[in-house]
Amino acid sequence: MPQHSLGFTTSHHLRNVFIMAVAAVLAFTLTLGISFARDIGGSLHAVAPLNIGGNRKAATAPDDIYKGKTLNVLVLGQDTREGAGNSTIGGDPKDFVGSHQSDTAIVVQIAADRSYINMVSIPRDSVVNAPACTTSAGATIASRQQVLFNSIFATGYNIGGDIATAAGCAVKAVNTLTGLNMDQFVVADFNGLKSIIDALGGVDVCIPQYTHDDITGLDLQKGLRHLDGIQATEYARMRHGVGTDGSDIMRTTRQQYLVKTIVNETRSMNVYTDFPRLYQLTKATLSSLQMSEGLGNLQTLLGLANSLKNIDTTHIYSRTLPVEEAPWNRNHVIWSKDAGAVWQTLKEQRPLKVQTDGAQPDQGGTSQQGPGQSTPAEGSPSSDGTQLPAPDPKTGLVTTADNRLIDPVTHGVVNPEDGTIRDAVTGQYIGMADRYLFATVCAVPSKD
């Protein structure tokens, strides 16, 4: 049986998975003068990861110090009620005194040539084995067996007393569990996403169905809605109520959807000529994050952002790690055998797309459609081996002969009512068809 350790009992969870929003926002800071740089630089919170190695050298010029290298970053959402901004979102702060939990964990891989980004969400209730790690004071936190993944950050903070320990333990665990070699992290709290969205002036989100949450009072009608920071954050993190099935996996798809919406919002704004908004947006982003030493430098972030500023948002590939229900507890999950293929794709530094050629047969003799190479515009095989027609240029989806909607990147099945994408075999949520929602449910003309 899994040990019920710190960090999994809360019902109010941070879900601000927004590393791409950060990258998009930082790209705009290249237009800022030196007079802004000193003030903005003072907003950064850099902390050093522990015993995980890596590049600790601070950049001194706005060049991408990781140029030509694949960059793996662990993005963690810290569930805390400390500070006025956090205490106003997500429940009574009295219930979470001293709580420092991480209920969001995303492995973000930025391609060496900056042509794509992979994002893999690790479900918080995954049962895993936690390796030993070291606190910032040099104490050892012993390894633990069969614990919930989100307890690793919480235990590190509880014993070490700081973000460096908590995040360092989480990074060590991900490296051990996946075989990746990662030493960078970003930690954000409740107020982070709210501040970024408010600095943008809000964000337009296509709400596919009536959504209501009794806990927060969030009430959204179907259609295009302009959400402020609090509304968008509550939408991203709600789990119970109308418009959700109560699962953490579905909530993760909504978070990924909001991230892409924020990125598109920042790219559509003419912020180059709106310096006041640009300045506030950059300040809000940087002051909301705590970063590992290899990232927590203004010049480093400017260089990385500059190399990402032209990335196509359709080349941001997001996945929830394949999981199965734990036999002993329906509220816990274990990583399925397909999880290994996802981590292998990242280790081989390839985009998370469905393989469409050179597929190897599995033991049963059928074609194995796993993460891999790019999907052709038309004539690509579906998960059952049949050929898919060309995607619709407006929605990006494929309509099969039996009128199913298929996402050509994942080959998942799309629900036409709410835009959710499910794995064709397991039925697990794996994403949301954002282009489809905006083009059909909300009928928003393309800005391309």
Side-chain angles (χ1 to χ4, degrees), residues 273-314:
T273 59
D274 190 352
F275 279 0
R277 173 175 288 187
L278 173 61
Y279 177 66
Q280 291 303 320
L281 184 57
T282 307
K283 284 277 288 182
T285 301
L286 297 183
S287 63
S288 300
L289 307 175
Q290 298 187 73
M291 306 180 188
S292 54
E293 200 171 30
L295 291 175
N297 176 281
L298 178 64
Q299 302 304 314
T300 298
L301 293 173
L302 290 176
L304 179 60
N306 187 42
S307 68
L308 286 168
K309 65 181 180 181
N310 294 320
I311 193 169
D312 186 340
T313 55
T314 62

Side-chain angles (χ1 to χ4, degrees), residues 331-345:
N331 295 318
H332 298 167
V333 296
I334 55 177
W335 296 1
S336 74
K337 59 181 180 63
D338 294 328
V342 172
W343 298 129
Q344 186 62 32
T345 298

Side-chain angles (χ1 to χ4, degrees), residues 10-14 79-81 85-93 95-96 190 213 215-216 230 233-234 237:
T10 176
S11 61
H12 303 287
H13 309 293
L14 171 64
D79 187 353
T80 178
R81 299 304 188 276
N86 291 312
S87 63
T88 59
I89 305 174
D92 189 344
D95 296 335
F96 303 94
F190 273 124
D213 181 9
I215 296 175
T216 63
I230 290 180
T233 301
E234 290 174 344
R237 54 178 294 276

Side-chain angles (χ1 to χ4, degrees), residues 38-72:
R38 181 174 301 173
D39 190 12
I40 295 173
S43 299
L44 286 172
H45 302 287
V47 294
L50 299 176
N51 294 335
I52 48 180
N55 188 342
R56 306 287 179 91
K57 183 179 179 180
T60 58
D63 298 320
D64 186 353
I65 65 172
Y66 299 106
K67 182 179 180 180
K69 299 179 181 178
T70 298
L71 183 61
N72 295 316

Side-chain angles (χ1 to χ4, degrees), residues 20 119 203-208 223-224 235 252-265 267 312-319 392-397 405-410 412-422 430-448:
M20 273 315 302
M119 298 196 304
V203 62
D204 290 331
V205 179
C206 180
I207 306 299
L224 189 66
Y235 176 70
T252 299
T253 67
R254 199 162 54 244
Q255 297 157 13
Q256 296 167 350
Y257 169 51
L258 184 61
V259 168
K260 289 188 177 182
T261 302
I262 294 172
V263 172
N264 286 325
E265 187 83 11
R267 295 185 66 176
D312 186 340
T313 55
T314 62
H315 296 165
I316 302 172
Y317 305 108
S318 58
R319 294 287 185 279
D392 183 281
K394 291 176 59 179
T395 67
L397 301 182
L405 288 177
I406 303 296
D407 173 32
V409 175
T410 64
V413 180
V414 179
N415 183 331
E417 298 297 322
D418 61 13
T420 55
I421 308 172
R422 291 178 181 258
I430 56 177
M432 286 186 73
D434 53 310
R435 287 177 59 191
Y436 168 81
L437 288 178
F438 277 91
T440 60
V441 174
C442 291
V444 177
S446 173
K447 297 179 182 180
D448 296 334

